[in-house]
Amino acid sequence: MAIIGGLDAPTSSYMMQTINIFKIPQLTYGSFAQEEFQSTKLSSLYCMVPNENYQYMGVIQLFLHFGWTWIGVFTFETKGDHFLRKMQLLLLQNRICVAFIQKIPEHINLENFPELFVSITITSNKLIDQKASVFLVYGDSLTIAWLRTVMVLHDPENKESTLFRKVWILMNTIDFILTGFQRSWDLQLFHGALSFTVHSREVPGFTEFLQVIKPSTHKDGFLQEVWQQLFDCIFSKANLPSTLSGTCNGEENLENLPAPLFELQMTGQSYSIYNAVYAVAHSLHEAVRSRTQAREIQRVEFLDLQPWQVLPVSLCNDACSPGYWKKRAEGKAFCCYDCVPCPEAKISNQADMDDCFECSQDHYPNKEKKGCILKPVMFLTFEETLGHSLASTSVCFFLLTSWVLGTFMKHRNTPIVKANNRFLTYTLLVSLQICFLSSLLFLSQPGKVTCLLRQPTFGITFSVAISSLLAKTITVVVAFMATKPGSQMRKWVGKRLAFWAVFSCSLCQVCICILWLSTSPPFPELDMHSELQEMILQCNEGSASFFYCVLGYMGILAIASFIVAFLARKLPDSFNEAKFITFSMLAFCSVWISFFPAYLSTKGKAMVAVEVFSILSSSAALLGCIFLPKCFIIVLRPDLNHREQLIKRN
């Protein structure tokens, strides 16, 4: 009614070709690729174990779990072709390299000794490969017997090279064939191999059955042959080769045999036969229809094992440590590579990374290029030396300007103060005070309000200061022209001209700043790219065009003041300030002309320091050139501060 058998693919195939004619079902318990048998819908072959292809993925998962990427493969010459086609594709997809593929001869021809010697030598060289620590074996019992024989021939004493310090992975559960002359060999190999086995369960009564079964009680020729091979003995009536020694009494105990020779527990293959028998029995019992239940193939799961607990490392070369990346070695498999340090600004935080990567914008690589460090936020502050120096200078000049203003107010009725338009003098001094104080806005932590006030305050106060100087120069020119008989300029002499000159010139700058703040105002931002190891908190000007418009308008006022003062420097007027204004504008323009290249060539805190220095130096130039000579006369030479000194003759 049915046939149970066929461990390997060829046997099952031959049987199928014969019994297919009679529609006799064959239940095979072997694990092999089933594509060739599924080509016809009339196939009478029923497999009791899952398709072998599922085991291939299990092998891949095992390799990936333990990081094995340099694998040696042993397989039969012809039977392993399908396995190699499938496995090589999976290995390539998962970036696992094959160190070698050694095919084992299916038949050993002892007569052709030279060829046999070459085959043994090649296989022996593969076994002692220094880099491949994992061997994948696809074959049956003869494959293991051949490899075991090569091991013994390589090391007759069989002491340290039994395993060759390798991990053996067997694709199938192999029924080991150990003949009499192999029984004395070390069995450590079979304890050190990993095998993919078919699912099995404990069958009640099976172990007890094995414990009582004996040739003396079970008259079975097959059992006697197995008994003689297991215990390396002969029965008195058996015609066996003389290589076996000892006489079998039939009462030997199977429990005394080592596990590689015989197991008291049901193996996966035996369990498949057990299931096949019951499948046939249930089918006959039902006799109506065959019910096939899909077997769920579960993902291979591993316990929390570490490689150092179980198995060695199997790599083409040593793993690249963090801080390095894998550069493929020319002319070698992709599993063979050189370890190259990560380039600047990149890291690798794991071993064997294909490439280095950049840290996030707010981090920078550590010295070893193994990790990222959070960038500190930096800005020019009062606490550091540069900020402290600039702030102290700003306060000192503010106090000096306040002393000058106080001095002028105290001596406001003296001729030297009255002769130079007190309104313009006070306006200029107050604007210089604010200019010095505005530099402190650049030294504080950039915030929303701070960034809004920085540039407009600086631009407007400087415009007022330069407008005051321009008004002073215009006043001198108008006063000189008003002295001519019949001149119409006399009505412009006085505070009205000075006021409107300062107001109109400053109003234009105010309009520019209002338009700037209403359309594209400055705002605080973090600059993460200018410096590698720090983030710079700074004010984004919002619109660079408006920023340069503010500076440009100041430049126009300064140039106009310089030109008018230069033309009026030799006018015959008492206490003529045109010369001093000319020098002050010359110093002012020199500072701000040098400001642009310095400002554009610096970044971060240095850029802020350049602007603060320019504000302080240009303001100090105005204060020194305009008021230092007057303070000298008021404080140190009061005898010159009289009306008689105002009358000069050509």
Side-chain angles (χ1 to χ4, degrees), residues 381-394:
T381 62
F382 299 104
E383 289 77 13
E384 56 186 299
T385 304
L386 180 59
H388 183 73
S389 301
L390 293 175
S392 301
T393 304
S394 175

Side-chain angles (χ1 to χ4, degrees), residues 459-584:
I460 293 173
T461 52
F462 261 92
S463 298
V464 172
I466 301 173
S467 299
S468 300
L469 292 178
L470 179 61
K472 275 179 172 288
T473 311
I474 294 174
T475 300
V476 172
V477 176
V478 171
F480 174 76
M481 297 175 63
T483 58
K484 296 180 180 180
S487 176
Q488 299 295 324
M489 303 299 294
R490 291 184 178 182
K491 61 181 179 180
W492 293 101
V493 178
K495 295 182 179 179
R496 185 172 61 175
L497 176 62
F499 173 78
W500 283 108
V502 174
F503 179 77
S504 59
C505 292
S506 303
L507 182 62
C508 292
Q509 187 72 287
V510 172
C511 293
I512 294 175
C513 292
I514 291 175
L515 188 61
W516 182 8
L517 297 179
S518 60
T519 56
S520 183
F523 58 91
E525 70 169 359
L526 278 174
D527 180 9
M528 301 182 182
H529 306 287
S530 297
E531 299 293 338
L532 180 61
Q533 298 185 1
E534 60 185 28
M535 294 182 290
I536 301 173
L537 181 59
Q538 63 184 13
C539 289
N540 188 309
E541 306 305 342
S543 173
S545 301
F546 277 111
F547 173 65
Y548 291 114
C549 282
V550 169
L551 295 179
Y553 183 73
M554 287 170 47
I556 293 173
L557 290 178
I559 293 172
S561 299
F562 174 76
I563 294 174
V564 175
F566 181 79
L567 296 176
R569 71 188 187 282
K570 294 183 179 181
L571 291 178
D573 190 21
S574 301
F575 290 100
N576 186 0
E577 291 185 300
K579 294 181 180 180
F580 303 121
I581 295 175
T582 301
F583 283 116
S584 65

Side-chain angles (χ1 to χ4, degrees), residues 265-285:
Q265 296 170 344
M266 186 173 287
T267 63
Q269 293 175 351
S270 298
Y271 189 70
S272 298
I273 300 174
Y274 174 85
N275 286 334
V277 172
Y278 273 90
V280 173
H282 283 291
S283 298
L284 293 175
H285 181 72

Side-chain angles (χ1 to χ4, degrees), residues 154-292:
H154 176 82
D155 181 15
E157 296 183 2
N158 200 30
K159 293 180 179 179
E160 297 182 356
S161 61
T162 303
L163 282 172
F164 294 101
R165 303 183 184 276
K166 311 295 182 182
V167 175
W168 297 82
I169 299 177
L170 311 180
M171 279 297 298
N172 301 315
T173 302
I174 295 179
D175 183 17
F176 298 110
I177 297 178
L178 294 179
T179 57
F181 73 92
Q182 290 177 314
R183 285 175 53 88
S184 60
W185 295 353
D186 188 2
L187 301 178
Q188 185 179 0
L189 165 66
F190 308 107
H191 289 293
L194 300 178
S195 174
F196 282 80
T197 182
V198 180
H199 169 73
S200 63
R201 292 181 179 177
E202 183 179 354
V203 178
F206 180 72
T207 303
E208 291 77 5
F209 167 75
L210 293 179
Q211 290 174 339
V212 299
I213 186 173
K214 296 181 184 299
S216 58
T217 56
H218 293 73
K219 303 298 183 180
D220 188 293
F222 172 74
L223 183 60
Q224 287 189 357
E225 291 182 5
V226 173
W227 209 265
Q228 292 176 138
Q229 181 172 329
L230 288 175
F231 293 98
D232 191 23
C233 62
I234 59 174
F235 288 95
S236 57
K237 296 182 180 181
N239 185 18
L240 294 176
S242 59
T243 54
L244 299 178
S245 60
T247 303
C248 300
N249 56 23
E251 296 297 327
E252 290 83 2
N253 194 344
L254 293 174
E255 293 182 281
N256 296 331
L257 294 173
L261 287 176
F262 191 81
E263 295 185 37
L264 290 177
Q265 296 170 344
M266 186 173 287
T267 63
Q269 293 175 351
S270 298
Y271 189 70
S272 298
I273 300 174
Y274 174 85
N275 286 334
V277 172
Y278 273 90
V280 173
H282 283 291
S283 298
L284 293 175
H285 181 72
E286 295 291 336
V288 176
R289 59 190 176 93
S290 177
R291 182 176 304 175
T292 304

